[in-house]
Amino acid sequence: MINSIANWWRSQQFKSAVKRGDIKLAIKVLEEIQKAGAKLSWLERLFREKLQSEQYLQQYKQEAGSLNIKLKEALNKLEFLDVQEVFDESVDVIKPDDEFIKFVYKTFNLIQHDEHKLQCTGIDERIFDDFEARLVEYLKEEFKKISEKHLKVKLEDALEDINTLKIGQDPDYRFSLTPHVYFMKYFLENVYCLYLAWFLIYKAGLLPQKVNILDIAAGPGTVGYGLALFLQSMSGFFQIPQIHISYYSLEKQDAFQFRGLQFWRKYIESRKTPINTFFRFVTEDIFNWKPHSSNIPNNFFDFIVISHCFFNIPARSLEANKIYKQIIDSSLKQSGYVLLIVQDKKLFKAYNAYQSEDHIQEQKIVNMFVSDLGLDLVWYQYLTSTGLRTIIKSAEFGKFAREKLPKKIYMSPLIHHYFNQKYDQHYTLDDYVILAQMKSR
């Protein structure tokens, strides 16, 4: 009890010192808190992050401080002068090829259990193994810039922030290595999911040869990576027509955009594929989005994608949905589509329901979710690794993953080293892929 009171008092002293701008006292109190072995608060961790950057990692700090400048310079090189002049209004779609579709079904071990449940336990190793290896190589290069001692602390802080997702909270995404931890923990699976989402769109005959995409809350550009890998897989199978992609990334965290662009240059642009990709990165908080001052063009996009950016807090979710509707209404072509990717638990939790094999309940919830965004449902698929809509026990899933699911052969050792995780990482799916359109006017 005495220790708890002492720890609480030190935290209050720390907060007071920070508010007053008394940095020397704040440092002194922080050292006392760490010596006492107390768990650091979010503010204390963030302050420690600032001190370490200033004291030990001046070079890294300079890189972070010039992030916006570098990003703008990179975007100026990629930004198109006038998108409307570059792309004509052709809506020619990539014709689905039966043999390639069979190849994907076989390679990914796709099993259609019912109208809306698609099990996946495989992967295209030619594409994903190389992609994963290059990502690990990129991360190792980044980590070499930081001393091992301070790297471990920075990774732990970023990991603790991102892991709040597991308890139904929204992370802050403010630590310098948060993008790197996202790359390690979630990026590959999300790209895996988006690959399959684009495959389903292609299979339905809805993927244009010239496609304009708006990726809302894009992170490092996961949606673009998923499409790029899918097209790469396709190009290795048969001759495909010349493809033009106009990709807009709308994302609050410029660090995510910068890291995504860095890795894109190292990997995607080194691939030999018949794909012309034009980027426009818009660093803007969607909650501050204003239709009249936005850099996003009107009535332009064939696809607007919202992938895994749905909020746990009800009030925040309502506010986000209102803004999503405004963006869709102003920027989507009348013939365009909205692609929504949402994790199963988050979807059902939003409507105070539990997932089951009840198809009627599932369809009702999906329709409500789509309607709340002012859209009409076109189709949806539940992508699952296990083939079940219900949760299985951790031990059972671990055994299932080891026996059935593709292993992250390059990323797993990196996670073992930095996060002391004993088990291997596998590619898993538990997402709803939902395609929708604007309601008829």
Side-chain angles (χ1 to χ4, degrees), residues 1 12 18 28 73 79 98 108 131 160 163 190 233 241 300 321 439:
M1 177 63 74
Q12 296 306 306
V18 171
K28 179 182 177 182
E73 290 175 350
E79 188 172 342
D98 290 341
F108 285 82
F131 182 67
E160 186 173 345
N163 277 346
N190 288 344
S233 181
F300 177 72
N321 282 357
K439 289 184 179 292

Side-chain angles (χ1 to χ4, degrees), residues 3-66:
N3 287 339
S4 297
I5 294 173
N7 291 337
W8 176 85
W9 176 243
R10 291 190 192 97
S11 290
Q12 296 306 306
Q13 284 184 304
F14 174 81
K15 289 180 184 177
S16 178
V18 171
K19 285 182 179 179
R20 296 196 311 271
D22 191 340
I23 303 302
K24 289 184 178 179
L25 179 59
I27 293 173
K28 179 182 177 182
V29 176
L30 181 63
E31 289 175 350
E32 293 175 358
I33 292 172
Q34 292 182 112
K35 287 179 181 177
K39 183 177 180 181
L40 298 183
S41 68
W42 172 83
L43 179 62
E44 290 158 357
R45 295 200 313 273
L46 198 59
F47 185 77
R48 181 180 65 183
E49 168 96 356
K50 176 179 179 294
L51 292 179
Q52 290 170 348
S53 295
E54 292 174 348
Q55 186 175 359
Y56 304 108
L57 304 171
Q58 187 62 31
Q59 182 179 355
Y60 188 83
K61 180 188 174 184
Q62 290 173 352
E63 179 186 354
S66 62

Side-chain angles (χ1 to χ4, degrees), residues 421-436:
Q421 183 174 293
K422 304 303 180 185
Y423 56 89
D424 289 328
Q425 295 282 107
H426 295 81
Y427 288 88
T428 61
L429 292 166
D430 57 0
D431 295 307
Y432 280 87
V433 173
I434 303 169
L435 194 69

Side-chain angles (χ1 to χ4, degrees), residues 118-352:
L118 183 62
Q119 183 180 12
C120 176
T121 57
I123 201 167
D124 187 344
E125 294 177 352
R126 302 171 309 147
I127 302 299
F128 278 87
D129 281 0
D130 181 57
F131 182 67
E132 183 184 333
R134 294 299 186 94
L135 178 61
V136 170
E137 181 181 293
Y138 165 74
L139 290 170
K140 287 181 176 179
E141 289 176 3
E142 287 292 302
F143 293 162
K144 285 179 183 177
K145 301 174 184 178
I146 308 171
S147 69
E148 190 71 19
K149 175 184 175 181
H150 300 108
L151 174 61
K152 190 175 188 303
V153 173
K154 285 177 170 290
L155 285 172
E156 287 175 352
D157 286 343
L159 178 63
E160 186 173 345
D161 179 41
I162 279 188
N163 277 346
T164 57
L165 288 167
K166 295 180 179 180
I167 58 174
Q169 297 179 8
D170 300 312
D172 292 304
Y173 298 112
R174 293 182 180 177
F175 294 99
S176 60
L177 293 188
T178 297
H180 305 73
V181 173
Y182 172 80
F183 276 141
M184 296 169 73
K185 295 287 287 185
Y186 298 107
F187 180 65
L188 290 170
E189 283 183 338
N190 288 344
V191 171
Y192 182 55
C193 176
L194 263 301
Y195 176 107
L196 292 170
W198 287 117
F199 166 70
L200 293 173
I201 290 169
Y202 159 83
K203 178 173 170 285
L206 300 176
L207 184 58
Q209 294 180 27
K210 299 177 181 179
V211 56
N212 305 328
I213 301 168
L214 172 61
D215 187 2
I216 299 178
T222 312
V223 170
Y225 281 98
L227 178 57
L229 263 65
F230 172 68
L231 294 175
Q232 185 182 328
S233 181
M234 183 192 301
S235 68
F237 192 80
F238 63 90
Q239 185 67 36
I240 62 176
Q242 187 69 43
I243 295 173
H244 298 272
I245 301 172
S246 167
Y247 178 77
Y248 271 69
S249 165
L250 178 60
E251 169 58 47
K252 174 184 176 181
Q253 303 292 339
D254 54 5
F256 269 83
Q257 290 182 327
F258 178 63
R259 298 304 174 188
L261 183 59
Q262 267 193 333
F263 180 54
W264 181 277
R265 285 176 161 177
K266 286 183 175 292
Y267 178 74
I268 296 295
E269 292 190 355
S270 67
R271 307 293 93 184
K272 293 182 179 180
T273 57
I275 303 169
N276 293 325
T277 306
F278 295 84
F279 286 89
R280 176 69 179 270
F281 283 63
V282 181
T283 306
E284 187 175 345
D285 185 349
I286 63 166
F287 293 104
N288 295 327
W289 186 82
K290 304 295 181 186
H292 301 298
S293 61
S294 173
N295 292 322
I296 301 173
N298 293 328
N299 190 33
F300 177 72
F301 296 100
D302 301 291
F303 289 91
I304 291 180
V305 186
I306 309 172
S307 176
H308 297 105
C309 189
F310 299 98
F311 296 85
N312 291 297
I313 301 172
R316 199 71 162 164
S317 180
L318 287 172
E319 187 180 0
N321 282 357
K322 179 181 177 181
I323 295 167
Y324 291 157
K325 285 191 282 188
Q326 291 175 350
I327 296 174
I328 291 167
D329 187 60
S330 64
S331 298
L332 187 68
K333 290 179 180 178
Q334 283 296 315
S335 59
Y337 295 90
V338 178
L339 176 62
L340 308 169
I341 312 290
V342 57
Q343 189 191 30
D344 53 8
K345 300 178 187 67
K346 183 167 286 191
L347 175 61
F348 280 79
K349 183 180 178 181
Y351 296 95
N352 297 314

